[in-house]
Structure formats: structure tokens, C-alpha cells
Amino acid sequence: MKVVVFALICAALGGAGDPPPSGEMSSDEFVEWHAHEAAGWSALGRGHADVAEREFRVAVRIAQPHGAKDPRLLARTYNSLAWALHVQGRDEDALPLAEWALVVREARNGPKSEQVSETLYVLAMVENALQRPDLAEARLARVLTIQEGKQGRESYRVAGALVDLAVAQIERRKYGSARASLERVLAMPTSAVDSGDVLRVLANVG
């Protein structure tokens, strides 16, 4: 079972920017990198994950020579590429990219940063697809903590994290925890998560 909250993906995965790296990357290279990164997310939004993968791989090639001095842009594009691979069902290929991105982002951006939240979310979806709901649940619990700290307890990002957390909890037959997560979303005065989606997940709670 898998529920993907599209608003969370668009806002979280494409939302946390990284500055141009210090050192050797020229402004022209940065503009080219950014163009391919943006084109990849545009392709994902149109449902063309294969096109997105090609765009992200070009962005990786641009960022790689500068990764030793400042790996932030490379980590961002590895994160994006991991998502494109996940969407195509290639989670074994996605996993090491997202794991590397997480290590870099925790070191460079901080363990409670938006960038870390992005990559934890990608890893959670990948690990859930690989039938590792315990790891997925742990990642999503961290996403929830980060988003609560940044957005408050009733934001659409928190709502999205709660729905996906509930899915991982259902996979582990932690029905009481899943129900509590979903009921919290339903109690929110405003939410980007459709209440119908939440109720459909709630129907799977034993």
C-alpha cells in the first residue's frame, strides 16, 4: 500500500533551494545545472519519469566535478534522481543515491533542515517500496518532527507526513498508531490532504 501526497512532493522535494557552490563552478554552469534540475521536475509533474531521469543525469554530470569542494548541488540532484527512479519502480537503484544525499545534507544543511526532510521523505518511500516499513516509519517520523518544528502542527506538509506515516504503520499492523495519525489529520481545520484520501487509508485500519 502506498499513498503519495502530491502537494508534499512538489513543495518539499522541489522547494528547498541550495545556493551556488563556492569554488570552481561558474555562473554559466550553475544556470545550466539549474535548468536541467527544473526540467526534470517539470517532466515529473507531467508524468514523464524517464525524461526526468535523463534531465537529472545531465545535472549530475554538471555538478559532479565540483562535488569534492561543495557537494550540496550534487546531493540535491541525487535526491531528485532517486525520486525519478523510485517513480519508475527502480528502488534498488534509488536507495544508494538518497542515502548519500542524506549524509551530505545532514552534514552541510543540518539534521533539522528542509533539505534533510526532503531526503528522508524520498528514503521513506523507497524503503516502503522495498518492503522495509520499519525503516520507512522511522524516516517519516523524523520528517514529521522537522515539519512540525518549521511549519507548525497543522500545516499541509505535516498533514501529508501524517498520512504517509499512517500507511507505514498499517504495513506494520500498528493500527492504533495509524488511526491516531489519520484522526489528527481529519481534526485539522485546513489541510492540503483530501479528506476522502484520508478516509480511504483509514478504512484499512483493522
Side-chain angles (χ1 to χ4, degrees):
M1 177 191 301
K2 177 179 168 184
V3 169
V4 173
V5 181
F6 188 69
L8 178 64
I9 296 167
C10 289
L13 301 189
D18 289 289
S22 57
E24 301 173 354
M25 180 178 273
S26 68
S27 58
D28 286 345
E29 286 176 310
F30 178 74
V31 167
E32 185 181 5
W33 168 85
H34 188 272
H36 287 288
E37 177 80 8
W41 279 103
S42 178
L44 279 171
R46 299 192 307 273
H48 302 304
D50 56 334
V51 176
E53 179 187 351
R54 289 197 295 272
E55 294 288 351
F56 292 142
R57 289 193 184 280
V58 174
V60 165
R61 288 199 293 273
I62 296 167
Q64 263 181 336
H66 312 289
K69 285 191 174 180
D70 190 341
R72 286 175 296 171
L73 294 189
L74 186 57
R76 178 173 173 177
T77 302
Y78 272 0
N79 187 75
S80 301
L81 178 56
W83 184 259
L85 293 170
H86 163 69
V87 171
Q88 296 176 76
R90 294 160 59 192
D91 293 285
E92 292 285 0
D93 295 330
L95 184 62
L97 298 175
E99 288 178 330
W100 188 88
L102 181 63
V103 171
V104 169
R105 290 179 140 190
E106 286 183 323
R108 292 291 182 133
N109 301 103
K112 296 181 180 179
S113 65
E114 199 68 64
Q115 289 87 348
V116 166
S117 178
E118 291 177 0
T119 304
L120 286 168
Y121 185 85
V122 172
L123 276 168
M125 298 299 102
V126 167
E127 286 162 339
N128 199 51
L130 292 172
Q131 304 300 311
R132 301 169 185 170
D134 53 334
L135 295 177
E137 182 182 0
R139 306 287 194 192
L140 287 166
R142 281 191 65 191
V143 171
L144 181 61
T145 299
I146 292 170
Q147 291 303 323
E148 285 177 331
K150 291 184 175 297
Q151 307 289 332
R153 289 177 57 82
E154 295 185 345
S155 73
Y156 71 94
R157 292 195 188 185
V158 168
L162 281 165
V163 173
D164 285 310
L165 178 60
V167 172
Q169 290 166 335
I170 291 169
E171 294 283 355
R172 300 189 68 195
R173 299 184 179 181
K174 296 172 68 174
Y175 299 122
S177 297
R179 181 178 294 277
S181 297
L182 294 170
E183 288 178 346
R184 183 176 155 193
V185 177
L186 290 172
M188 290 183 181
T190 337
S191 173
V193 179
D194 189 300
S195 60
D197 289 339
V198 178
L199 291 170
R200 279 190 287 275
V201 178
L202 192 58
N204 290 282
V205 176

